[in-house]
Amino acid sequence: MKDDVLNMLVNRLAKLEQVEAIALAGSHSVQMNDSLSDYDLYIYVKEMIPVEVRAEITQKYCSYIELNNQFWETEDDGVLTSGIEIELIYRDLGWLDDELNKTIFQHQVNTGYSTCFWANLRHSMILFDKDQKLTELQKKYDVDYSDELADAIIAKNLPLISNAFPAYPKQIAKALKRSDSVSVHHRITEYLASYFDILFAINRLPHPGEKRLVQFALTQCRLLPVNFEQTIEKLLLLAGQHSAELPKLVKGATNDLRALADER
Protein backbone atom coordinates (compact mmCIF):
# COMPACT_ATOMS: atom_id res chain seq x y z
CA MET A 1 0.00 0.00 0.00
CA LYS A 2 1.12 3.56 -0.72
CA ASP A 3 -0.10 4.85 2.64
CA ASP A 4 2.87 4.54 5.01
CA VAL A 5 0.70 5.05 8.09
CA LEU A 6 -1.58 2.20 7.06
CA ASN A 7 1.44 -0.01 6.42
CA MET A 8 2.85 0.71 9.87
CA LEU A 9 -0.50 -0.02 11.50
CA VAL A 10 -0.81 -3.33 9.65
CA ASN A 11 2.74 -4.34 10.59
CA ARG A 12 2.06 -3.57 14.25
CA LEU A 13 -1.21 -5.51 14.32
CA ALA A 14 0.44 -8.46 12.56
CA LYS A 15 2.78 -8.89 15.53
CA LEU A 16 -0.09 -9.63 17.90
CA GLU A 17 -0.47 -13.26 18.93
CA GLN A 18 -4.26 -13.15 18.43
CA VAL A 19 -4.06 -12.06 14.79
CA GLU A 20 -4.24 -14.74 12.11
CA ALA A 21 -4.67 -12.57 9.02
CA ILE A 22 -5.26 -9.00 7.87
CA ALA A 23 -6.94 -7.94 4.64
CA LEU A 24 -7.99 -4.74 2.92
CA ALA A 25 -11.44 -4.83 1.36
CA GLY A 26 -13.92 -2.28 0.06
CA SER A 27 -13.28 0.23 -2.71
CA HIS A 28 -9.51 0.42 -2.16
CA SER A 29 -9.08 -3.29 -2.84
CA VAL A 30 -10.82 -3.09 -6.22
CA GLN A 31 -9.47 0.30 -7.33
CA MET A 32 -12.88 1.99 -7.11
CA ASN A 33 -11.84 4.40 -4.37
CA ASP A 34 -12.27 8.14 -4.61
CA SER A 35 -11.46 11.10 -2.37
CA LEU A 36 -14.27 10.10 0.02
CA SER A 37 -13.30 6.44 0.35
CA ASP A 38 -12.10 5.05 3.66
CA TYR A 39 -10.02 1.96 4.40
CA ASP A 40 -11.90 -1.20 5.34
CA LEU A 41 -9.30 -3.20 7.24
CA TYR A 42 -10.36 -6.68 8.31
CA ILE A 43 -8.39 -8.23 11.18
CA TYR A 44 -9.05 -11.95 11.50
CA VAL A 45 -8.42 -13.10 15.05
CA LYS A 46 -8.52 -16.41 16.89
CA GLU A 47 -9.52 -14.51 20.02
CA MET A 48 -10.44 -10.89 20.49
CA ILE A 49 -7.61 -8.43 21.04
CA PRO A 50 -8.14 -6.60 24.36
CA VAL A 51 -9.52 -3.09 23.91
CA GLU A 52 -6.65 -1.58 25.87
CA VAL A 53 -4.14 -3.15 23.48
CA ARG A 54 -6.06 -1.83 20.49
CA ALA A 55 -6.20 1.60 22.11
CA GLU A 56 -2.43 1.65 22.61
CA ILE A 57 -1.80 0.71 18.98
CA THR A 58 -4.39 2.88 17.25
CA GLN A 59 -3.51 6.04 19.16
CA LYS A 60 -0.06 5.92 17.54
CA TYR A 61 -1.45 5.91 14.01
CA CYS A 62 -4.83 7.64 14.30
CA SER A 63 -5.67 11.28 14.91
CA TYR A 64 -9.14 10.19 16.03
CA ILE A 65 -10.47 6.80 17.09
CA GLU A 66 -13.68 5.31 18.48
CA LEU A 67 -12.93 1.99 20.12
CA ASN A 68 -15.08 -1.12 20.26
CA ASN A 69 -18.10 0.05 18.31
CA GLN A 70 -20.68 -2.75 18.25
CA PHE A 71 -23.27 -1.36 15.84
CA TRP A 72 -22.73 -4.13 13.26
CA GLU A 73 -19.56 -6.06 14.01
CA THR A 74 -16.77 -5.35 16.48
CA GLU A 75 -15.00 -2.30 15.07
CA ASP A 76 -12.56 0.48 15.86
CA ASP A 77 -13.42 3.48 13.67
CA GLY A 78 -11.40 6.63 13.15
CA VAL A 79 -9.01 8.67 11.05
CA LEU A 80 -5.40 7.80 10.31
CA THR A 81 -2.76 10.50 10.81
CA SER A 82 -2.44 10.44 7.01
CA GLY A 83 -5.97 11.89 6.92
CA ILE A 84 -7.81 8.83 5.59
CA GLU A 85 -10.76 7.42 7.52
CA ILE A 86 -10.42 3.79 8.56
CA GLU A 87 -12.62 1.01 9.86
CA LEU A 88 -10.86 -1.83 11.66
CA ILE A 89 -13.27 -4.76 11.65
CA TYR A 90 -12.46 -7.79 13.79
CA ARG A 91 -13.68 -11.18 12.58
CA ASP A 92 -13.24 -14.86 13.25
CA LEU A 93 -12.26 -16.97 10.24
CA GLY A 94 -14.37 -19.89 11.42
CA TRP A 95 -17.43 -17.67 11.68
CA LEU A 96 -16.88 -16.33 8.15
CA ASP A 97 -16.42 -19.85 6.79
CA ASP A 98 -19.72 -20.94 8.40
CA GLU A 99 -21.58 -17.94 6.99
CA LEU A 100 -20.23 -18.48 3.49
CA ASN A 101 -20.91 -22.20 3.59
CA LYS A 102 -24.55 -21.56 4.44
CA THR A 103 -24.91 -19.16 1.54
CA ILE A 104 -22.71 -20.53 -1.23
CA PHE A 105 -23.11 -24.28 -0.71
CA GLN A 106 -26.36 -24.65 1.28
CA HIS A 107 -28.14 -21.77 -0.49
CA GLN A 108 -29.52 -20.22 2.69
CA VAL A 109 -30.12 -16.66 1.50
CA ASN A 110 -31.43 -13.35 2.80
CA THR A 111 -33.87 -10.64 1.81
CA GLY A 112 -31.23 -8.41 0.27
CA TYR A 113 -27.42 -8.46 0.33
CA SER A 114 -27.29 -12.28 0.23
CA THR A 115 -23.78 -12.64 -1.17
CA CYS A 116 -22.01 -9.58 0.30
CA PHE A 117 -19.67 -11.61 2.53
CA TRP A 118 -18.68 -13.66 -0.51
CA ALA A 119 -17.82 -10.55 -2.54
CA ASN A 120 -15.95 -9.12 0.44
CA LEU A 121 -13.74 -12.22 0.74
CA ARG A 122 -13.19 -12.67 -2.98
CA HIS A 123 -12.05 -9.08 -3.44
CA SER A 124 -10.00 -8.80 -0.26
CA MET A 125 -6.36 -7.87 -0.66
CA ILE A 126 -4.47 -10.03 1.82
CA LEU A 127 -1.81 -8.02 3.65
CA PHE A 128 -0.83 -10.60 6.25
CA ASP A 129 -1.63 -14.30 6.54
CA LYS A 130 0.24 -16.07 9.32
CA ASP A 131 -0.65 -19.66 8.46
CA GLN A 132 -2.24 -19.11 5.03
CA LYS A 133 -5.71 -19.72 6.48
CA LEU A 134 -7.24 -16.69 4.79
CA THR A 135 -5.61 -17.65 1.50
CA GLU A 136 -7.08 -21.14 1.80
CA LEU A 137 -10.51 -19.68 2.57
CA GLN A 138 -10.31 -17.52 -0.56
CA LYS A 139 -9.45 -20.62 -2.58
CA LYS A 140 -12.32 -22.60 -1.04
CA TYR A 141 -14.85 -20.01 -2.15
CA ASP A 142 -13.26 -19.25 -5.50
CA VAL A 143 -16.13 -21.10 -7.18
CA ASP A 144 -18.65 -20.34 -9.87
CA TYR A 145 -21.92 -18.67 -8.97
CA SER A 146 -24.27 -21.65 -9.11
CA ASP A 147 -27.72 -21.75 -10.67
CA GLU A 148 -29.02 -23.13 -7.39
CA LEU A 149 -27.80 -20.08 -5.47
CA ALA A 150 -29.27 -17.68 -8.01
CA ASP A 151 -32.57 -19.55 -7.97
CA ALA A 152 -32.69 -19.43 -4.15
CA ILE A 153 -32.10 -15.67 -4.06
CA ILE A 154 -34.71 -14.98 -6.72
CA ALA A 155 -37.24 -17.32 -5.10
CA LYS A 156 -36.87 -15.60 -1.73
CA ASN A 157 -36.79 -12.00 -2.89
CA LEU A 158 -39.06 -11.82 -5.94
CA PRO A 159 -42.32 -12.43 -4.02
CA LEU A 160 -41.42 -9.58 -1.67
CA ILE A 161 -41.19 -7.08 -4.52
CA SER A 162 -44.23 -8.42 -6.33
CA ASN A 163 -47.31 -10.23 -5.05
CA ALA A 164 -46.66 -11.86 -1.66
CA PHE A 165 -49.10 -10.81 1.05
CA PRO A 166 -46.46 -8.72 2.90
CA ALA A 167 -44.86 -7.49 -0.38
CA TYR A 168 -43.17 -4.10 -0.30
CA PRO A 169 -45.23 -2.51 -3.12
CA LYS A 170 -48.41 -3.14 -1.13
CA GLN A 171 -46.83 -1.58 1.95
CA ILE A 172 -45.57 1.39 -0.06
CA ALA A 173 -49.07 2.06 -1.39
CA LYS A 174 -50.54 1.92 2.13
CA ALA A 175 -47.87 4.27 3.47
CA LEU A 176 -48.64 6.77 0.70
CA LYS A 177 -52.34 6.70 1.52
CA ARG A 178 -51.48 7.40 5.16
CA SER A 179 -49.04 10.16 4.20
CA ASP A 180 -46.46 8.22 6.22
CA SER A 181 -43.26 9.47 4.58
CA VAL A 182 -40.94 7.59 6.94
CA SER A 183 -42.63 4.29 6.09
CA VAL A 184 -42.52 5.09 2.35
CA HIS A 185 -38.76 5.59 2.44
CA HIS A 186 -38.24 2.55 4.68
CA ARG A 187 -40.15 0.26 2.32
CA ILE A 188 -38.49 1.72 -0.78
CA THR A 189 -35.13 0.92 0.81
CA GLU A 190 -36.24 -2.65 1.52
CA TYR A 191 -37.63 -2.94 -2.00
CA LEU A 192 -34.32 -1.85 -3.52
CA ALA A 193 -32.37 -4.24 -1.30
CA SER A 194 -34.33 -7.19 -2.70
CA TYR A 195 -34.35 -5.71 -6.22
CA PHE A 196 -30.56 -5.53 -6.39
CA ASP A 197 -30.17 -8.94 -4.75
CA ILE A 198 -32.23 -10.38 -7.60
CA LEU A 199 -30.44 -8.35 -10.28
CA PHE A 200 -26.99 -9.51 -9.19
CA ALA A 201 -28.23 -13.10 -8.90
CA ILE A 202 -29.53 -12.95 -12.47
CA ASN A 203 -26.09 -11.80 -13.57
CA ARG A 204 -24.26 -14.30 -11.34
CA LEU A 205 -22.39 -11.50 -9.56
CA PRO A 206 -21.65 -11.54 -5.82
CA HIS A 207 -23.37 -8.54 -4.24
CA PRO A 208 -20.85 -5.66 -3.86
CA GLY A 209 -22.52 -4.01 -0.86
CA GLU A 210 -24.60 -0.90 -0.37
CA LYS A 211 -22.59 1.79 -2.18
CA ARG A 212 -22.68 2.89 -5.83
CA LEU A 213 -24.97 0.04 -6.84
CA VAL A 214 -26.28 1.70 -9.98
CA GLN A 215 -22.75 2.43 -11.18
CA PHE A 216 -21.69 -1.14 -10.43
CA ALA A 217 -24.70 -2.58 -12.23
CA LEU A 218 -24.14 -0.41 -15.29
CA THR A 219 -20.50 -1.46 -15.61
CA GLN A 220 -20.66 -5.09 -14.48
CA CYS A 221 -24.09 -6.52 -15.30
CA ARG A 222 -24.49 -8.24 -18.63
CA LEU A 223 -28.27 -8.20 -18.27
CA LEU A 224 -30.21 -5.13 -17.14
CA PRO A 225 -33.92 -4.31 -17.07
CA VAL A 226 -35.29 -1.94 -19.68
CA ASN A 227 -34.50 1.70 -18.80
CA PHE A 228 -32.77 0.51 -15.63
CA GLU A 229 -30.93 3.70 -14.65
CA GLN A 230 -33.83 6.02 -15.44
CA THR A 231 -36.26 3.81 -13.53
CA ILE A 232 -34.17 3.80 -10.35
CA GLU A 233 -33.62 7.56 -10.51
CA LYS A 234 -37.33 8.24 -11.05
CA LEU A 235 -38.32 5.81 -8.30
CA LEU A 236 -36.19 7.68 -5.79
CA LEU A 237 -37.44 11.04 -7.04
CA LEU A 238 -41.11 10.04 -6.70
CA ALA A 239 -40.47 8.57 -3.26
CA GLY A 240 -39.11 11.92 -2.13
CA GLN A 241 -42.15 13.68 -3.56
CA HIS A 242 -44.62 11.17 -2.04
CA SER A 243 -46.09 10.94 -5.53
CA ALA A 244 -49.24 8.93 -6.19
CA GLU A 245 -47.44 7.64 -9.32
CA LEU A 246 -44.92 5.73 -7.20
CA PRO A 247 -46.86 2.43 -6.94
CA LYS A 248 -47.28 2.30 -10.73
CA LEU A 249 -43.54 2.86 -11.24
CA VAL A 250 -42.66 0.23 -8.62
CA LYS A 251 -44.94 -2.28 -10.35
CA GLY A 252 -43.30 -1.53 -13.69
CA ALA A 253 -39.81 -1.91 -12.23
CA THR A 254 -40.79 -5.27 -10.75
CA ASN A 255 -42.29 -6.49 -14.02
CA ASP A 256 -39.17 -5.50 -15.95
CA LEU A 257 -36.95 -7.32 -13.46
CA ARG A 258 -39.21 -10.37 -13.47
CA ALA A 259 -39.02 -10.45 -17.28
CA LEU A 260 -35.24 -10.40 -17.03
CA ALA A 261 -35.30 -13.26 -14.54
CA ASP A 262 -37.58 -15.30 -16.81
CA GLU A 263 -35.29 -14.79 -19.81
CA ARG A 264 -32.00 -15.69 -18.11
Side-chain angles (χ1 to χ4, degrees), residues 23 26 33 48 52 56 71 77 114 144 157 197 205 212 228:
N33 55 293
M48 188 53 64
E52 56 271 21
E56 181 182 355
F71 303 115
D77 305 311
S114 291
D144 292 336
N157 285 273
D197 219 14
L205 290 171
R212 293 186 281 191
F228 161 73

Side-chain angles (χ1 to χ4, degrees), residues 218-236:
L218 289 172
T219 58
Q220 300 298 321
C221 288
R222 182 176 59 87
L223 301 171
L224 285 172
V226 176
N227 299 321
F228 161 73
E229 185 175 14
Q230 297 88 335
T231 297
I232 298 300
E233 289 180 355
K234 190 173 181 181
L235 188 153
L236 294 170

